[in-house]
Amino acid sequence: NVQVIRNFTGVDNRSLFNIDDTKSYLQNNMTADYFPLMKSRQGYQYLNGSTIAGICRGLSSWKNSELNAVYNDGNWYKYNGTSWTSIASGLSTTAFCSFCNFQGNLSGINLLMANGVDAVKKYDGTTVSNLNNAPSGITYIDAHDNRVYGAAGNTIYFSALRKPEDWT
């Protein structure tokens, strides 16, 4: 059944009996990429190109457009639409990776990666380098309200406002 909502006020995941008629119930496989429309998300597809043997230790996308993966061979790969290219090597072969996109005062949006073993890394679309001054041991990394947050053990660190390389 198609229901037209003239005054759409958001998505709610509570019981259908408890939400307004102006809200949509939380659905699986829906996207708001075409806001104000809600559409079915595109199905999965196979990636063409050479395969990478091993276990994927982390998977993310840079700027929601370029697929990036870290494998247990210690390499960070990017997928250009036809093949995988190694963009960094020498990473941990056992640690799982956490990623987030962030710009702040950097020259462009960077994909940040933390795994708790290696120094926190940043990828600007061309090269991978260390994120300066980031605390060591960060296992999980995320961004919120123009700050980068990192968790190491029982400690949560955060960067200065819009400055991902200032953790004082």
Side-chain angles (χ1 to χ4, degrees):
N1 293 333
V2 175
Q3 179 182 0
V4 177
I5 302 174
R6 299 268 183 229
N7 183 20
F8 180 66
T9 60
V11 179
D12 197 330
N13 64 352
R14 293 179 293 166
S15 168
L16 283 172
F17 299 108
N18 296 329
I19 64 174
D20 290 343
D21 289 339
T22 61
K23 295 199 182 314
S24 172
Y25 183 69
L26 182 63
Q27 298 291 321
N28 291 329
N29 296 321
M30 298 297 284
T31 181
D33 288 345
Y34 303 97
F35 182 82
L37 300 174
M38 288 181 60
K39 295 180 75 174
S40 296
R41 188 175 305 177
Q42 183 181 9
Y44 71 89
Q45 60 188 19
Y46 289 103
L47 299 178
N48 297 325
S50 61
T51 58
I52 303 169
I55 299 169
C56 183
R57 294 292 179 186
L59 186 65
S60 188
S61 66
W62 172 67
K63 293 173 60 172
N64 206 22
S65 63
E66 180 185 275
L67 189 60
N68 284 252
V70 175
Y71 273 79
N72 68 335
D73 62 357
N75 287 317
W76 181 337
Y77 297 92
K78 73 176 182 177
Y79 185 71
N80 64 13
T82 57
S83 63
W84 291 95
T85 305
S86 177
I87 56 175
S89 61
L91 300 172
S92 171
T93 59
T94 57
F96 287 98
C97 300
S98 174
F99 295 91
C100 75
N101 282 280
F102 190 79
Q103 182 171 355
N105 69 347
L106 300 172
S107 61
I109 296 174
N110 282 244
L111 180 62
L112 307 181
M113 185 280 292
N115 63 12
V117 177
D118 301 307
V120 176
K121 306 288 185 192
K122 64 180 179 180
Y123 169 65
D124 63 4
T126 306
T127 58
V128 174
S129 59
N130 289 345
L131 183 68
N132 295 328
N133 304 315
S136 62
I138 291 181
T139 306
Y140 302 103
I141 195 163
D142 206 350
H144 177 69
D145 281 347
N146 285 317
R147 290 186 194 270
V148 177
Y149 292 83
N154 291 330
T155 305
I156 296 177
Y157 298 96
F158 60 92
S159 71
L161 185 65
R162 300 193 76 237
K163 296 178 181 177
E165 296 185 314
D166 179 359
W167 295 76
T168 58

